[in-house]
Amino acid sequence: QGPLGSAPVTSLLSLAVTSEQIEHLHRRFKQLSQDQLTIRKENFDSIPDLEFNPIRGKIVHAFFDKRNLRQESDGLADEINFEDFLTIMSYFRPIEMNMDEEQLDRFRKEKLKFLFHMYDSDHDGKITLQEYRNVVEELLSGNPHLEKESARSIADGAMMEAASICVGQMGPDQVYEGITFEDFLKMWQGIDIETKMHVRFLNVDTIAHCY
Amino acid sequence: GELNSGLLDFLLFGSLIAAVDPVAVLAVFEEVHVNEVLFIIVFGESLLNDAVTVVLYNVFESFVAIGPTNVTGIECLKGIVSFFVVSLGGTLVGIFFAFLLSLVSRFTKHVRIIEPGFVFIISYLSYLTAEMLSLSAILAITFCGICCQKYVKANISEQSSTTVRYTMKMMASGAETIIFMFLGISAVDPRIWTWNTAFILLTLVFISVYRVIGVIIQTWILNRYRTVQLEIIDQVVMSYGGLRGAVAFALVALLDKEKVRDRNLFVSTTIIVVFFTVIFQGLTIKPLVQWLKVKKTEHREPKLNEKLHGRAFDHILSAIEDISGQIGHHYLRDKWSNFDRKFLRKILMRRSAQKSRDQILNVFHELNLKDAISYVAEGERRGSLAFIRSSSTDNMVNVDFSTPLPSTVESSVSYLLREKAGPVCLDMQALEQRRKSIRDTEDTLAHHTLQQYLYKPRQEHKHLYSRHEIMHSEDDKQDKEIFHRTMRKRLESFKSTKLGINHSKKLNKIHKRDRGQKRRNSNVIPNGNIPSENPVQDFTLKEKDLEFSESEENNDYETLHLGKGVDFLANVTKQNFTDPPAGIDNPVFSADDDQSIYTKFSPWLSSEDTVVPSQRARVQLPYSPNFRRLTPIRLSNKSTDSFLLADGPEDRSRSFLTESTHM
């Protein structure tokens, strides 16, 4: 039996991941899921190196986030199948040489949207200060010498920076609710994200970390 | 002319002429400011090819010595093996000395004077050792520098670091000059002038052509593995930037006339090649770069958000790599930094330096400082922070600070802060100059006031004679104290004029951000104040909920690292908080009560040394340009901040300060 049913293949090919890579990812998926058809959150615990990652929680969460799985609905899925797994992975595919402007733009938006969803944990479409603080605290939690206070001030500072970029000079009565996706895009305007957010599958037969 | 050389001689010549020279490349590329990737590629190539050059040169020289007939396959094999030995050996020597240097620098706390000495000597030692062992010396010293940088930088004092940096630059500059001068002088030696047109021309042509070919092939290979592809323009710069320099000349000058019969020809050709590449290519590379619109180094302000997101990306990518079971760059990098944190740091870094600040925190801190400085600068510019106590302040106030005064030394605080100079010192002369327009009585008054508060004429460091220490005179500490005290007062008075009582908000924020970390004994900017924990439930800005910083009066001046220069700490003293009126009372909204503010602040009536902002200050609050970091986020309508009030429509601020007809 082939690794995939016929139906998902066509949609997957549109994701522009090569079939070798699909093979490899499938093998990995099977490992993680222990030969089941779906993965749950607990399965991610079996990856030892992930423990050291400070924002592990958010990343794992992102895998199950329905907004990332391109479903119109909201909320969290309990388990994901291989197709969903691939969908998430496809956010990280490298840029192809033959993409045109519009595709590039769409590409970029998708990646940024993924990031945005990660930050916006309550799914309301805005990153509020509390959420941002949360993220920053987690990010900096890896460094044992950094206290929570400092993390919080950094988050505040960053938020203000964002406010100044997005809204400019605020009048005395204005209130900045939170970072919306448009603001988020604005923040990232000058910076190229394409090179930052992709995982290169160097050789697909790399020493996979099989445990 | 005639050529008497065989293949081996030419191979020898080829090996030494092909190498790109780090000195020349560095000298030229520093001018040009191309983007970092390109610079590193060319410069890195020139550094690392030293190993190749050395090996090839030695190999071919020995081949030439033993004669072409004796060269067998074994010899070639030995040559190849020696390449690996030389390069790896050089690297290992470098790493070993880096380890040694970091270890030594860990223990030099009490002998700070000789810290730079260690750095220089041990790095040079790595060079000499590698030379002695016939390994690649340049690689040794390069890797020594690369590996030890992080630890040494953390261990040695600020001053030693500066010393090392500037001395290195000076010596490097001097050495480069001497090298090229020597090159020029030896070119004028008629004994070596041998001219063979064809040879020289062909050499020139070939080195360019083959370089281009080499670059293209290798770029093609590399591009298959690179995220950011190297484009044609990059390749052009890379080929064009291959300058030959002194290394080639040195090697050729070492050739033995007996063994290599065409030595003189080689020497003169090398000289011509070097001159050609350095002069012609070096001069024209800058216009070329501009014409081709190569991407230059972008100097951008570090944004907090960028750093944060960058960090987030790194983690995300490592996670994805882990999940997908790949060994990717991030995985390796994480592994390395774990290893570094667990073992290397403990061994090589001083204990106090081990708790290093996160990079993000550094950026954050810098940004805060910048904001604070700009704020003060702006305030000064508007004259609002000119603190003068006098009954006849009319003239004083109307000194126009907005136009730049023709004094060479800016005596504004902000200038000092920007300079981050050593201890505060101001030239009394300059200060006097600035106040020329004021009448004499005010002059002396101002003089005394200022002197009392802040400005002390520059004093020489009274060096108590000690060979091993630099003693800093006590005055430095005092200067700092005075400075801090004054700054504090200025800011307090500034904020309190505006809205009376409880306006520590912005100062809180400044304060809160200035303290990066609450450690006391650190060699970064310390702040002895530990704010009390005021838990904030959610960030609606009610007055009470703001995180107050109840600062203690004990500024740890002992922990002030004297090397840091002027540190701006906006400390808020507790005495200024009168009890907040019951409930959430935002003074802004009690605009009707502003009369009361002024009763508290009649300068001629106050007996203590209050620092009072000038009349101008009260009328016109300093315009704080878009600094968002110092203003609290307003997520609810409940409060506005004095700061933002200043930015807001001018009439608003004026409306409640209209009747300032005091004085």
Side-chain angles (χ1 to χ4, degrees):
Chain A
Q1 191 217 352
L4 303 159
S6 54
V9 178
T10 40
S11 62
L12 285 170
L13 285 179
S14 68
L15 298 178
V17 184
T18 72
S19 56
E20 289 176 337
Q21 291 169 346
I22 297 183
E23 268 284 345
H24 174 84
L25 285 172
H26 185 81
R27 258 181 282 140
R28 183 68 178 156
F29 182 82
K30 275 185 68 182
Q31 244 174 9
L32 285 176
S33 69
Q34 285 140 9
D35 283 333
Q36 304 285 325
L37 281 176
T38 58
I39 295 188
R40 296 170 170 280
K41 276 205 183 152
E42 298 76 45
N43 295 103
F44 281 98
D45 293 338
S46 59
I47 307 174
D49 288 314
L50 210 52
E51 295 301 318
F52 297 115
N53 202 321
I55 49 174
R56 177 184 179 282
K58 285 210 160 16
I59 296 176
V60 172
H61 185 101
F63 268 81
F64 292 88
D65 192 339
K66 279 204 186 144
R67 296 174 294 173
N68 290 337
L69 297 175
R70 297 192 200 200
Q71 299 164 14
E72 294 315 317
S73 56
D74 213 355
L76 281 186
D78 285 328
E79 45 188 22
I80 54 174
N81 58 17
F82 183 57
E83 189 180 346
D84 300 324
F85 185 69
L86 269 189
T87 314
I88 305 280
M89 283 295 179
S90 71
Y91 279 105
F92 295 95
R93 68 189 185 277
I95 324 172
E96 277 111 51
M97 304 299 291
N98 49 2
M99 283 183 157
D100 57 11
E101 276 297 318
E102 190 201 312
Q103 275 184 316
L104 270 177
D105 195 46
R106 202 162 33 98
F107 205 61
R108 193 185 149 86
K109 272 217 179 97
E110 277 177 15
K111 296 197 177 190
L112 283 174
K113 205 147 188 118
F114 184 79
L115 195 64
F116 187 75
H117 288 156
M118 247 181 57
Y119 288 159
D120 180 22
S121 44
D122 62 0
H123 302 221
D124 64 353
K126 285 201 282 263
I127 306 179
T128 60
L129 183 66
Q130 197 48 42
E131 287 171 347
Y132 208 56
R133 275 183 175 172
N134 207 338
V135 172
V136 174
E137 274 173 26
E138 272 192 16
L139 264 183
L140 298 178
S141 63
N143 186 345
H145 302 294
L146 215 58
E147 285 100 1
K148 260 189 132 196
E149 279 301 311
S150 340
R152 204 187 293 177
S153 353
I154 292 178
D156 295 345
M159 192 73 176
M160 280 204 276
E161 216 180 71
S164 73
I165 297 179
C166 306
V167 186
Q169 189 94 337
M170 291 203 290
D173 279 333
Q174 255 187 305
V175 159
Y176 189 59
E177 294 293 339
I179 309 180
T180 61
F181 187 56
E182 285 71 37
D183 295 339
F184 199 65
L185 281 179
K186 240 193 270 185
M187 271 178 10
W188 280 98
Q189 234 164 19
I191 315 162
D192 67 338
I193 186 181
E194 293 85 1
T195 60
K196 286 204 174 92
M197 189 160 154
H198 91 257
V199 174
R200 216 169 340 141
F201 296 103
L202 279 178
N203 339 334
V204 187
D205 300 318
T206 335
I207 313 145
H209 268 232
C210 313
Y211 287 91
Chain B
E2 299 282 316
L3 285 178
N4 292 331
S5 305
L7 176 65
L8 278 179
D9 294 328
F10 286 129
L11 279 176
L12 181 57
F13 181 65
S15 73
L16 62 89
I17 201 85
V20 175
D21 186 59
V23 172
V25 163
L26 195 54
V28 166
F29 270 65
E30 289 236 308
E31 282 294 310
V32 178
H33 299 299
V34 292
N35 59 4
E36 285 96 7
V37 176
L38 209 46
F39 177 65
I40 279 291
I41 288 181
V42 182
F43 185 56
E45 178 207 341
S46 61
L47 281 179
L48 297 178
N49 71 16
D50 176 65
V52 179
T53 310
V54 164
V55 171
L56 281 181
Y57 180 80
N58 284 325
V59 163
F60 285 130
E61 203 184 3
S62 52
F63 282 1
V64 165
I66 61 182
T69 45
N70 296 342
V71 177
T72 63
I74 301 274
E75 305 289 332
C76 290
L77 193 61
K78 276 203 263 180
I80 295 177
V81 169
S82 75
F83 166 70
F84 285 106
V85 168
V86 164
S87 46
L88 289 175
T91 316
L92 286 176
V93 167
I95 294 182
F96 169 69
F97 276 96
F99 190 79
L100 190 63
L101 180 58
S102 321
L103 201 56
V104 165
S105 68
R106 183 179 168 190
F107 299 111
T108 52
K109 184 161 181 189
H110 298 288
V111 282
R112 293 244 185 235
I113 290 279
I114 58 178
E115 266 176 344
F118 275 122
V119 175
F120 287 122
I121 289 178
I122 296 186
S123 354
Y124 192 52
L125 207 54
S126 72
Y127 181 86
L128 292 176
T129 313
E131 269 295 314
M132 193 177 71
L133 298 172
S134 305
L135 303 172
S136 165
I138 293 188
L139 274 187
I141 203 170
T142 308
F143 277 94
C144 179
I146 293 176
C147 298
C148 80
Q149 191 246 1
K150 178 166 147 186
Y151 307 106
V152 169
K153 188 114 208 298
N155 283 340
I156 62 179
S157 69
E158 223 10 67
Q159 288 134 327
S160 304
S161 173
T162 313
T163 309
V164 169
R165 191 170 32 238
Y166 282 104
T167 315
M168 280 291 191
K169 280 201 193 285
M170 187 188 78
M171 293 202 310
S173 193
E176 268 171 39
T177 314
I178 293 178
I179 285 179
F180 281 106
M181 204 158 48
F182 178 62
L183 198 57
I185 291 177
S186 43
V188 199
D189 183 358
R191 288 172 296 162
I192 58 171
W193 285 350
T194 323
W195 183 271
N196 185 327
T197 322
F199 185 68
I200 293 175
L201 274 179
L202 282 178
T203 312
L204 282 174
V205 167
F206 282 152
I207 56 175
S208 326
V209 167
Y210 283 119
R211 179 160 176 87
V212 172
I213 296 179
V215 165
I216 292 180
I217 295 179
Q218 289 177 51
T219 320
W220 179 77
I221 299 179
L222 277 180
N223 269 342
R224 299 178 57 187
Y225 298 105
R226 286 180 64 91
T227 8
V228 181
Q229 306 279 297
L230 290 170
E231 307 176 0
I232 302 282
I233 294 185
D234 297 329
Q235 293 174 31
V236 167
V237 177
M238 273 159 55
S239 350
Y240 205 69
L243 307 173
R244 275 71 177 174
V247 174
F249 180 70
L251 288 177
V252 89
L254 285 175
L255 286 177
D256 193 345
K257 187 122 192 357
E258 307 301 317
K259 296 188 191 147
V260 180
R261 268 155 296 156
D262 277 316
R263 177 192 177 270
N264 286 339
L265 175 62
F266 287 168
V267 169
S268 35
T269 313
T270 310
I271 292 181
I272 294 179
V273 165
V274 169
F275 279 12
F276 177 78
T277 55
V278 168
I279 295 177
F280 179 69
Q281 282 180 258
L283 283 179
T284 53
I285 199 170
K286 191 158 188 188
L288 184 73
V289 160
Q290 281 171 351
W291 180 56
L292 289 177
K293 302 197 189 51
V294 176
K295 224 167 36 160
K296 299 246 171 136
T297 51
E298 286 177 23
H299 188 69
R300 285 172 43 206
E301 292 262 326
K303 288 239 169 68
L304 208 51
N305 276 311
E306 269 180 47
K307 286 270 175 199
L308 278 175
H309 292 309
R311 181 68 62 87
F313 273 139
D314 287 341
H315 288 309
I316 295 175
L317 291 181
S318 336
I320 295 285
E321 279 183 3
D322 291 333
I323 292 176
S324 65
Q326 306 275 334
I327 294 188
H329 289 185
H330 294 270
Y331 174 74
L332 290 172
R333 190 166 69 175
D334 277 354
K335 274 271 184 250
W336 168 254
S337 58
N338 277 340
F339 171 68
D340 175 56
R341 195 172 307 162
K342 275 198 214 134
F343 299 110
L344 289 182
R345 275 200 175 186
K346 303 236 172 74
I347 306 178
L348 296 176
M349 276 185 18
R350 208 168 277 183
R351 193 132 310 156
S352 57
Q354 275 177 30
K355 306 185 195 129
S356 64
R357 294 211 291 197
D358 206 279
Q359 252 235 332
I360 290 183
L361 205 53
N362 285 339
V363 172
F364 182 57
H365 196 90
E366 260 183 54
L367 290 174
N368 279 331
L369 275 180
K370 258 196 225 153
D371 276 348
I373 292 175
S374 325
Y375 173 57
V376 172
E378 202 47 53
E380 279 190 348
R381 204 173 69 82
R382 293 305 182 99
S384 60
L385 290 183
F387 51 107
I388 299 163
R389 179 179 55 162
S390 149
S391 50
S392 62
T393 49
D394 293 357
N395 283 346
M396 292 234 176
V397 166
N398 293 329
V399 172
D400 184 16
F401 283 112
S402 52
T403 59
L405 292 165
S407 64
T408 48
V409 174
E410 276 220 30
S411 48
S412 66
V413 174
S414 51
Y415 183 71
L416 285 176
L417 292 172
R418 264 192 273 267
E419 288 289 293
K420 275 204 184 174
V424 177
C425 59
L426 276 178
D427 200 4
M428 213 43 222
Q429 292 281 31
L431 201 58
E432 291 299 284
Q433 262 186 342
R434 196 165 184 175
R435 301 202 169 277
K436 253 187 211 148
S437 53
I438 306 173
R439 288 191 299 233
D440 286 3
T441 48
E442 268 83 12
D443 254 356
T444 35
L445 184 59
H447 179 117
H448 288 311
T449 314
L450 292 167
Q451 186 169 47
Q452 182 184 11
Y453 278 108
L454 177 62
Y455 306 121
K456 265 195 197 175
R458 179 193 275 264
Q459 291 174 350
E460 294 290 322
H461 281 303
K462 302 192 186 79
H463 289 290
L464 303 167
Y465 183 65
S466 153
R467 289 186 65 187
H468 301 290
E469 308 272 334
I470 286 184
M471 308 289 218
H472 290 271
S473 58
E474 275 308 307
D475 289 338
D476 292 349
K477 278 194 191 162
Q478 283 176 21
D479 281 337
K480 278 207 170 86
E481 270 192 53
I482 293 178
F483 179 64
H484 289 308
R485 207 192 321 143
T486 325
M487 283 311 302
R488 216 186 308 140
K489 281 195 179 150
R490 281 175 160 185
L491 283 166
E492 280 164 31
S493 63
F494 171 63
K495 67 148 167 67
S496 30
T497 26
K498 286 179 62 182
L499 293 167
I501 318 159
N502 215 347
H503 238 75
S504 50
K505 272 200 289 234
K506 71 168 146 39
L507 288 175
N508 271 338
K509 293 300 177 179
I510 300 177
H511 173 72
K512 193 158 70 100
R513 283 180 177 83
D514 264 342
R515 65 173 159 83
Q517 221 162 328
K518 291 180 268 185
R519 298 162 289 143
R520 285 178 186 263
N521 302 317
S522 67
N523 55 358
V524 289
I525 299 179
N527 182 335
N529 305 311
I530 298 191
S532 64
E533 266 296 282
N534 243 348
V536 174
Q537 306 316 36
D538 62 310
F539 206 65
T540 57
L541 285 188
K542 311 190 174 199
E543 294 263 348
K544 274 204 291 193
D545 288 358
L546 265 187
E547 293 165 34
F548 273 39
S549 47
E550 301 201 331
S551 55
E552 295 122 41
E553 274 301 324
N554 51 342
N555 289 306
D556 280 17
Y557 285 107
E558 304 79 56
T559 64
L560 266 180
H561 189 97
L562 288 174
K564 269 292 182 180
V566 172
D567 303 333
F568 176 51
L569 298 172
N571 298 318
V572 176
T573 51
K574 197 166 172 183
Q575 75 214 22
N576 218 33
F577 297 169
T578 57
D579 285 335
I584 304 155
D585 195 336
N586 192 331
V588 175
F589 294 109
S590 56
D592 308 318
D593 298 337
D594 39 16
Q595 301 284 349
S596 56
I597 300 173
Y598 292 100
T599 56
K600 293 186 189 162
F601 273 92
S602 318
W604 56 93
L605 291 179
S606 63
S607 50
E608 47 166 20
D609 281 356
T610 41
V611 164
V612 170
S614 62
Q615 182 181 33
R616 206 158 172 220
R618 300 185 190 182
V619 171
Q620 195 183 41
L621 301 160
Y623 172 64
S624 54
N626 206 4
F627 329 124
R628 293 295 132 188
R629 281 174 216 103
L630 295 180
T631 58
I633 299 174
R634 279 145 345 108
L635 297 183
S636 74
N637 281 327
K638 276 250 169 110
S639 62
T640 55
D641 187 60
S642 60
F643 222 5
L644 290 170
L645 202 57
D647 306 350
E650 288 298 303
D651 36 351
R652 181 131 189 226
S653 52
R654 276 194 214 268
S655 65
F656 77 73
L657 293 173
T658 39
E659 50 274 275
S660 51
T661 50
H662 306 287
M663 322 266 219

PDB file of all heavy atoms in Angstrom, chain B residues 533-547:
ATOM      1  N   GLU B 533       7.035  44.883  44.166  1.00  0.00           N
ATOM      2  CA  GLU B 533       6.166  44.120  43.299  1.00  0.00           C
ATOM      3  C   GLU B 533       4.745  44.616  43.416  1.00  0.00           C
ATOM      4  O   GLU B 533       4.126  44.548  44.468  1.00  0.00           O
ATOM      5  CB  GLU B 533       6.194  42.650  43.725  1.00  0.00           C
ATOM      6  CG  GLU B 533       7.199  41.843  42.967  1.00  0.00           C
ATOM      7  CD  GLU B 533       6.864  41.771  41.497  1.00  0.00           C
ATOM      8  OE1 GLU B 533       5.982  41.005  41.127  1.00  0.00           O
ATOM      9  OE2 GLU B 533       7.458  42.520  40.714  1.00  0.00           O
ATOM     10  N   ASN B 534       4.305  45.140  42.372  1.00  0.00           N
ATOM     11  CA  ASN B 534       2.917  45.563  42.394  1.00  0.00           C
ATOM     12  C   ASN B 534       2.189  44.804  41.317  1.00  0.00           C
ATOM     13  O   ASN B 534       2.296  45.127  40.152  1.00  0.00           O
ATOM     14  CB  ASN B 534       2.835  47.061  42.116  1.00  0.00           C
ATOM     15  CG  ASN B 534       2.271  47.774  43.309  1.00  0.00           C
ATOM     16  OD1 ASN B 534       1.764  47.139  44.213  1.00  0.00           O
ATOM     17  ND2 ASN B 534       2.371  49.074  43.310  1.00  0.00           N
ATOM     18  N   PRO B 535       1.534  43.825  41.670  1.00  0.00           N
ATOM     19  CA  PRO B 535       0.954  42.991  40.618  1.00  0.00           C
ATOM     20  C   PRO B 535      -0.088  43.758  39.836  1.00  0.00           C
ATOM     21  O   PRO B 535      -0.895  44.484  40.396  1.00  0.00           O
ATOM     22  CB  PRO B 535       0.324  41.834  41.396  1.00  0.00           C
ATOM     23  CG  PRO B 535       0.122  42.346  42.758  1.00  0.00           C
ATOM     24  CD  PRO B 535       1.189  43.365  42.995  1.00  0.00           C
ATOM     25  N   VAL B 536      -0.024  43.606  38.629  1.00  0.00           N
ATOM     26  CA  VAL B 536      -0.986  44.288  37.757  1.00  0.00           C
ATOM     27  C   VAL B 536      -1.886  43.252  37.149  1.00  0.00           C
ATOM     28  O   VAL B 536      -1.431  42.321  36.516  1.00  0.00           O
ATOM     29  CB  VAL B 536      -0.254  45.037  36.624  1.00  0.00           C
ATOM     30  CG1 VAL B 536      -1.228  45.609  35.655  1.00  0.00           C
ATOM     31  CG2 VAL B 536       0.609  46.106  37.222  1.00  0.00           C
ATOM     32  N   GLN B 537      -3.107  43.431  37.399  1.00  0.00           N
ATOM     33  CA  GLN B 537      -4.006  42.387  36.886  1.00  0.00           C
ATOM     34  C   GLN B 537      -4.122  42.466  35.384  1.00  0.00           C
ATOM     35  O   GLN B 537      -3.821  41.561  34.666  1.00  0.00           O
ATOM     36  CB  GLN B 537      -5.409  42.521  37.485  1.00  0.00           C
ATOM     37  CG  GLN B 537      -5.479  42.565  38.991  1.00  0.00           C
ATOM     38  CD  GLN B 537      -4.602  41.535  39.634  1.00  0.00           C
ATOM     39  OE1 GLN B 537      -3.529  41.236  39.158  1.00  0.00           O
ATOM     40  NE2 GLN B 537      -5.028  40.961  40.724  1.00  0.00           N
ATOM     41  N   ASP B 538      -4.638  43.555  34.983  1.00  0.00           N
ATOM     42  CA  ASP B 538      -4.708  43.715  33.538  1.00  0.00           C
ATOM     43  C   ASP B 538      -4.325  45.134  33.253  1.00  0.00           C
ATOM     44  O   ASP B 538      -4.311  45.963  34.131  1.00  0.00           O
ATOM     45  CB  ASP B 538      -6.117  43.417  33.024  1.00  0.00           C
ATOM     46  CG  ASP B 538      -7.116  44.371  33.614  1.00  0.00           C
ATOM     47  OD1 ASP B 538      -7.092  44.516  34.846  1.00  0.00           O
ATOM     48  OD2 ASP B 538      -7.892  44.972  32.893  1.00  0.00           O
ATOM     49  N   PHE B 539      -4.040  45.340  32.056  1.00  0.00           N
ATOM     50  CA  PHE B 539      -3.333  46.580  31.839  1.00  0.00           C
ATOM     51  C   PHE B 539      -4.237  47.742  31.546  1.00  0.00           C
ATOM     52  O   PHE B 539      -4.065  48.456  30.588  1.00  0.00           O
ATOM     53  CB  PHE B 539      -2.360  46.379  30.682  1.00  0.00           C
ATOM     54  CG  PHE B 539      -1.211  47.297  30.774  1.00  0.00           C
ATOM     55  CD1 PHE B 539      -0.322  47.207  31.811  1.00  0.00           C
ATOM     56  CD2 PHE B 539      -1.051  48.278  29.835  1.00  0.00           C
ATOM     57  CE1 PHE B 539       0.733  48.047  31.889  1.00  0.00           C
ATOM     58  CE2 PHE B 539       0.011  49.131  29.908  1.00  0.00           C
ATOM     59  CZ  PHE B 539       0.903  49.008  30.934  1.00  0.00           C
ATOM     60  N   THR B 540      -5.213  47.922  32.310  1.00  0.00           N
ATOM     61  CA  THR B 540      -5.954  49.167  32.163  1.00  0.00           C
ATOM     62  C   THR B 540      -5.302  50.159  33.092  1.00  0.00           C
ATOM     63  O   THR B 540      -4.981  49.874  34.228  1.00  0.00           O
ATOM     64  CB  THR B 540      -7.419  48.981  32.584  1.00  0.00           C
ATOM     65  OG1 THR B 540      -7.414  48.503  33.923  1.00  0.00           O
ATOM     66  CG2 THR B 540      -8.092  47.967  31.705  1.00  0.00           C
ATOM     67  N   LEU B 541      -5.103  51.302  32.558  1.00  0.00           N
ATOM     68  CA  LEU B 541      -4.267  52.204  33.318  1.00  0.00           C
ATOM     69  C   LEU B 541      -5.046  52.966  34.347  1.00  0.00           C
ATOM     70  O   LEU B 541      -5.479  54.072  34.136  1.00  0.00           O
ATOM     71  CB  LEU B 541      -3.624  53.198  32.387  1.00  0.00           C
ATOM     72  CG  LEU B 541      -2.516  52.583  31.600  1.00  0.00           C
ATOM     73  CD1 LEU B 541      -1.829  53.691  30.879  1.00  0.00           C
ATOM     74  CD2 LEU B 541      -1.549  51.926  32.523  1.00  0.00           C
ATOM     75  N   LYS B 542      -5.178  52.367  35.431  1.00  0.00           N
ATOM     76  CA  LYS B 542      -5.654  53.168  36.541  1.00  0.00           C
ATOM     77  C   LYS B 542      -4.420  53.581  37.283  1.00  0.00           C
ATOM     78  O   LYS B 542      -3.430  52.903  37.288  1.00  0.00           O
ATOM     79  CB  LYS B 542      -6.552  52.333  37.424  1.00  0.00           C
ATOM     80  CG  LYS B 542      -7.574  51.622  36.567  1.00  0.00           C
ATOM     81  CD  LYS B 542      -8.630  50.972  37.390  1.00  0.00           C
ATOM     82  CE  LYS B 542      -9.687  50.422  36.448  1.00  0.00           C
ATOM     83  NZ  LYS B 542     -10.913  50.173  37.120  1.00  0.00           N
ATOM     84  N   GLU B 543      -4.517  54.660  37.925  1.00  0.00           N
ATOM     85  CA  GLU B 543      -3.338  55.188  38.591  1.00  0.00           C
ATOM     86  C   GLU B 543      -2.764  54.210  39.566  1.00  0.00           C
ATOM     87  O   GLU B 543      -1.590  53.984  39.655  1.00  0.00           O
ATOM     88  CB  GLU B 543      -3.679  56.461  39.345  1.00  0.00           C
ATOM     89  CG  GLU B 543      -4.060  57.592  38.445  1.00  0.00           C
ATOM     90  CD  GLU B 543      -2.888  58.489  38.197  1.00  0.00           C
ATOM     91  OE1 GLU B 543      -1.873  58.340  38.894  1.00  0.00           O
ATOM     92  OE2 GLU B 543      -2.983  59.330  37.310  1.00  0.00           O
ATOM     93  N   LYS B 544      -3.620  53.640  40.315  1.00  0.00           N
ATOM     94  CA  LYS B 544      -3.119  52.779  41.377  1.00  0.00           C
ATOM     95  C   LYS B 544      -2.416  51.571  40.811  1.00  0.00           C
ATOM     96  O   LYS B 544      -1.450  51.098  41.347  1.00  0.00           O
ATOM     97  CB  LYS B 544      -4.296  52.307  42.241  1.00  0.00           C
ATOM     98  CG  LYS B 544      -4.643  53.263  43.335  1.00  0.00           C
ATOM     99  CD  LYS B 544      -5.337  52.576  44.471  1.00  0.00           C
ATOM    100  CE  LYS B 544      -6.701  52.112  44.077  1.00  0.00           C
ATOM    101  NZ  LYS B 544      -7.498  51.714  45.235  1.00  0.00           N
ATOM    102  N   ASP B 545      -2.930  51.102  39.749  1.00  0.00           N
ATOM    103  CA  ASP B 545      -2.411  49.834  39.294  1.00  0.00           C
ATOM    104  C   ASP B 545      -1.059  49.939  38.640  1.00  0.00           C
ATOM    105  O   ASP B 545      -0.427  48.949  38.384  1.00  0.00           O
ATOM    106  CB  ASP B 545      -3.367  49.198  38.270  1.00  0.00           C
ATOM    107  CG  ASP B 545      -4.609  48.692  38.965  1.00  0.00           C
ATOM    108  OD1 ASP B 545      -4.667  48.822  40.192  1.00  0.00           O
ATOM    109  OD2 ASP B 545      -5.480  48.200  38.282  1.00  0.00           O
ATOM    110  N   LEU B 546      -0.690  51.124  38.382  1.00  0.00           N
ATOM    111  CA  LEU B 546       0.604  51.253  37.740  1.00  0.00           C
ATOM    112  C   LEU B 546       1.687  50.742  38.633  1.00  0.00           C
ATOM    113  O   LEU B 546       1.662  50.934  39.823  1.00  0.00           O
ATOM    114  CB  LEU B 546       0.892  52.708  37.443  1.00  0.00           C
ATOM    115  CG  LEU B 546       0.511  53.113  36.048  1.00  0.00           C
ATOM    116  CD1 LEU B 546       0.989  54.487  35.820  1.00  0.00           C
ATOM    117  CD2 LEU B 546       1.153  52.166  35.049  1.00  0.00           C
ATOM    118  N   GLU B 547       2.620  50.158  38.036  1.00  0.00           N
ATOM    119  CA  GLU B 547       3.676  49.605  38.853  1.00  0.00           C
ATOM    120  C   GLU B 547       4.534  50.720  39.378  1.00  0.00           C
ATOM    121  O   GLU B 547       5.318  51.311  38.670  1.00  0.00           O
ATOM    122  CB  GLU B 547       4.516  48.655  38.026  1.00  0.00           C
ATOM    123  CG  GLU B 547       3.726  47.458  37.636  1.00  0.00           C
ATOM    124  CD  GLU B 547       4.403  46.701  36.546  1.00  0.00           C
ATOM    125  OE1 GLU B 547       5.635  46.681  36.525  1.00  0.00           O
ATOM    126  OE2 GLU B 547       3.703  46.160  35.689  1.00  0.00           O
TER     127      GLU B 547
END
